[in-house]
Amino acid sequence: MAVSLPAIAALYLSVNAFSCSGVAATIAKTRVSRSAPARLKSLIGFFMAATVFGSISATQANSRRKIVAESRSAGYSTLSENPEPADWRPPLLVMNIHEYQARELLQKFDVATTRGRVAATLDEAEQIARELGDIDIVVKAQIHAGGRGKGSFKNGFKGGVHVRKTPQEVREVAEKMLGEILVTHQTGQAGRLVNKVLVAESADIAREIYFAVLLDRATAAPLIVASTEGGVEIETVAEKSPEKIIREPINPLAGLQTYQARKLATQLGFESSQLKNASKLFEGLYRTFIAYDCSMVEVNPLVVTSKGEVLVLDAKFNLDDNALYRHPEIAAMRDIAEEDPREVEASKHGLNYVGLDGNIACLVNGAGLAMATMDIIKFYGGEPANFLDVGGGATEEQVTEAFKILIADKKVKAILVNIFGGIMKCDVIAQGIIGAAKTVKLSVPLVVRLEGTNVERGKQLLKESGLALIAADDLADAAQKVVGAAKGK
Ligand code: GDP
Ligand code: MN
């Protein structure tokens, strides 16, 4: 199977461009515990442990160089050489889509799934059920989080996945889901509002399998992860019975080979009569993963029905935002209602914001400094509430907006501004802080550590502004002061 060169280049870049804030932010998201990417985090941790952390063999490094050289000679430039496309939008870090949208994409690659459609109203749900005919029908709440089956609604209704027999019963179940809040182990206590339900033919399940294609950072290549223990949390399987996790690395130039698909199908216990369909399904999933520049396509469960059919029942996609401009049809699937409102607001102003669970807000420039700042806060016993990366060339207005976002977060008990002025000038940051303080009341302690270009001017501006802030000399000093301030000391 041919893999397009831009896809390879994108793959290469997405794994290697650590200096790009978007990518580093993605890594941070998987490093710092947060509900949605938690499963990815533990998976990555699992694979990292199984390989030599961060080290790449000379052969791999050479083959990477070759891939980039080839894509260059074919006329594709690297991201840094590429001018931003006219319709460029602020990065999302990782884009998720709904199950019903994932099914639409999979169907384009002939991946077998059940018949069904999405409904936003009770009438639609009932109508779809009627069209599906006199069969068992499954109704599934559509949210960007897993664990729906075992979740429960705030209205007391248990489970976000239900099988019913008649259109009337489908309507009744949809009524308990639509407009209601579903809480699962991945949503956190706040839960998620259900705006749509998937109404589909129910599969008569004989066996549930786990199957995922993801980007393995350690080898900078796609990796298939599969297990006969599907339908349950894969993290638990990886922890309790690691021998039940099958891993198949894929050469990105060659793609998934027929022998590999067959080998996987055999390892997953498919009977000889099912091997062909299973292999075809795996190939379709791999092609989808490559075609849409995904960082993960996860199917849990992939099922064998009582009649021996092989089907995808639940699919989750993570898409690389750096490649979204190549897929306008996917960019259009973005559901802002499912995203962290703080991140949505930041992205409007071209800022890189990552929401976390602690109480110390961090305003930094550069992903490396963001990581170091979060590490040192944790080292001194604090927890970051977020980090907001103003990047290299933020304007005073952007810094002001950044500050407003940080202050608006009710969880925030202290703010740390940690700026190393390189391209970003310290006086611009200072002006931004002063500007923000004029429009929003600074209700929590603010620790500022500035260093680098125009630092004296920046410090002077802050001093003259009369703002109550805590000045810090270096990173350690700043971290200790902000951790203390957040604890009310
Ligand atoms: P998740 O809990 O968010 O991962 O949602 P899933 O779509 O994976 O559904 C959870 C569980 O519900 C699956 O593991 C299946 O056991 C069950 N389930 C999902 N779809 C169907 C279906 O069509 N028929 C039947 N009988 N069970 C289903
Ligand atoms: Mn599932």
Side-chain angles (χ1 to χ4, degrees):
M1 188 193 70
V3 177
S4 71
L5 283 167
I8 295 165
L11 183 68
Y12 173 88
L13 287 161
S14 69
V15 175
N16 284 280
F18 286 105
S19 58
C20 153
S21 342
V23 173
T26 312
I27 301 164
K29 271 194 137 174
T30 56
R31 281 182 49 183
V32 186
S33 175
R34 191 162 172 261
S35 55
R39 53 172 42 195
L40 188 59
K41 182 194 76 179
S42 56
L43 270 180
I44 288 172
F46 177 68
F47 302 130
M48 284 285 194
T51 44
V52 184
F53 208 98
S55 78
I56 305 147
S57 73
T59 347
Q60 280 172 328
N62 277 335
S63 70
R64 281 192 202 177
R65 269 192 285 279
K66 201 168 146 241
I67 290 167
V68 170
E70 276 172 10
S71 57
R72 282 215 177 115
S73 67
Y76 299 108
S77 54
T78 62
L79 260 189
S80 54
E81 291 165 355
N82 243 340
E84 279 167 2
D87 58 351
W88 185 85
R89 293 201 303 165
L92 276 164
L93 311 177
V94 176
M95 182 174 153
N96 294 310
I97 54 174
H98 285 291
E99 176 190 22
Y100 77 92
Q101 295 165 325
R103 286 163 49 105
E104 284 168 19
L105 298 178
L106 290 173
Q107 280 157 8
K108 291 190 183 157
F109 287 87
D110 283 336
V111 172
T113 180
T114 50
R115 291 181 302 137
R117 286 208 330 265
V118 72
T121 66
L122 302 182
D123 287 344
E124 277 170 21
E126 190 181 333
Q127 178 60 25
I128 297 167
R130 196 158 282 133
E131 285 167 20
L132 286 170
D134 189 14
I135 49 166
D136 281 0
I137 287 167
V138 67
V139 184
K140 306 175 79 174
Q142 299 295 291
I143 54 169
H144 283 189
R148 294 165 302 169
K150 292 204 179 79
S152 46
F153 288 85
K154 287 205 166 163
N155 62 10
F157 187 61
K158 292 261 176 296
V161 178
H162 284 274
V163 178
R164 290 292 184 273
K165 296 218 175 286
T166 67
Q168 182 55 34
E169 286 172 2
V170 165
R171 185 187 182 95
E172 283 159 18
V173 154
E175 189 166 12
K176 300 218 168 67
M177 295 182 177
L178 285 171
E180 300 293 337
I181 297 194
L182 177 58
V183 180
T184 80
H185 70 92
Q186 284 190 8
T187 63
Q189 269 313 302
R192 293 280 172 83
L193 178 66
V194 178
N195 287 315
K196 288 183 174 131
V197 291
L198 172 69
V199 181
E201 168 189 5
S202 169
D204 190 5
I205 304 172
R207 214 153 67 80
E208 298 189 71
I209 286 159
Y210 177 93
F211 190 97
V213 191
L214 47 90
L215 205 53
D216 180 17
R217 289 183 191 280
T219 57
L223 176 71
I224 290 179
V225 180
S227 176
T228 49
E229 309 302 297
V232 293
E233 264 180 73
I234 196 67
E235 291 88 342
T236 317
V237 182
E239 206 174 294
K240 296 219 173 102
S241 28
E243 75 286 354
K244 291 203 169 128
I245 306 268
I246 301 164
R247 303 191 304 135
E248 185 69 29
I250 309 296
N251 180 322
L253 280 180
L256 174 63
Q257 299 294 294
T258 311
Y259 83 88
Q260 290 178 299
R262 286 244 160 191
K263 186 170 104 186
L264 280 163
T266 311
Q267 285 174 313
L268 289 167
F270 283 95
E271 290 167 19
S272 53
S273 62
Q274 299 160 351
L275 285 182
K276 199 165 156 235
N277 281 343
S279 305
K280 184 174 167 239
L281 196 89
F282 301 161
E283 275 157 15
L285 289 169
Y286 184 78
R287 280 165 58 212
T288 313
F289 173 86
I290 294 292
Y292 293 113
D293 297 305
C294 300
S295 46
M296 181 179 76
V297 167
E298 183 190 57
V299 179
N300 191 20
L302 188 159
V303 298
V304 184
T305 66
S306 52
K307 286 187 204 136
E309 300 153 306
V310 189
L311 302 172
V312 166
L313 269 207
D314 180 23
K316 286 193 174 57
F317 282 33
N318 281 169
L319 298 131
D320 183 346
D321 65 291
N322 287 309
L324 266 189
Y325 73 92
R326 308 196 318 156
H327 310 289
E329 76 280 26
I330 292 188
M333 289 180 170
R334 183 175 178 184
D335 184 354
I336 287 181
E338 289 283 339
E339 293 172 23
D340 186 330
R342 302 171 298 181
E343 290 181 18
V344 174
E345 183 60 26
S347 80
K348 278 189 205 154
H349 303 286
L351 300 161
N352 247 319
Y353 176 97
V354 175
L356 303 163
D357 303 323
N359 60 10
I360 297 173
C362 307
L363 189 137
V364 293
N365 65 326
L369 190 60
M371 298 289 201
T373 306
M374 291 192 295
D375 279 350
I376 201 159
I377 285 175
K378 280 187 159 281
F379 180 79
Y380 285 110
E383 287 293 336
N386 53 51
F387 76 82
L388 207 155
D389 178 3
V390 293
T395 62
E396 192 186 314
E397 289 72 34
Q398 278 177 302
V399 176
T400 306
E401 290 307 325
F403 232 79
K404 284 189 197 161
I405 294 167
L406 295 184
I407 298 173
D409 189 340
K410 293 283 168 276
K411 283 192 311 192
V412 170
K413 293 283 174 276
I415 300 174
L416 172 58
V417 174
N418 185 19
I419 296 291
F420 184 81
I423 305 168
M424 184 82 237
K425 296 186 185 69
C426 292
D427 56 327
V428 172
I429 293 287
Q431 283 292 5
I433 297 174
I434 297 164
K438 277 189 197 138
T439 42
V440 218
K441 192 177 164 294
L442 196 58
S443 48
V444 294
L446 168 65
V447 178
V448 181
R449 180 252 176 173
L450 297 176
E451 200 54 80
T453 310
N454 294 357
V455 62
E456 289 313 325
R457 173 103 192 97
K459 284 183 175 169
Q460 199 190 338
L461 282 170
L462 287 173
K463 205 168 156 193
E464 287 166 4
S465 74
L467 274 178
L469 52 84
I470 305 164
D473 298 325
D474 57 35
L475 205 48
D477 184 40
Q480 287 172 65
K481 281 176 173 161
V482 80
V483 171
K487 288 180 179 161
K489 284 178 196 156

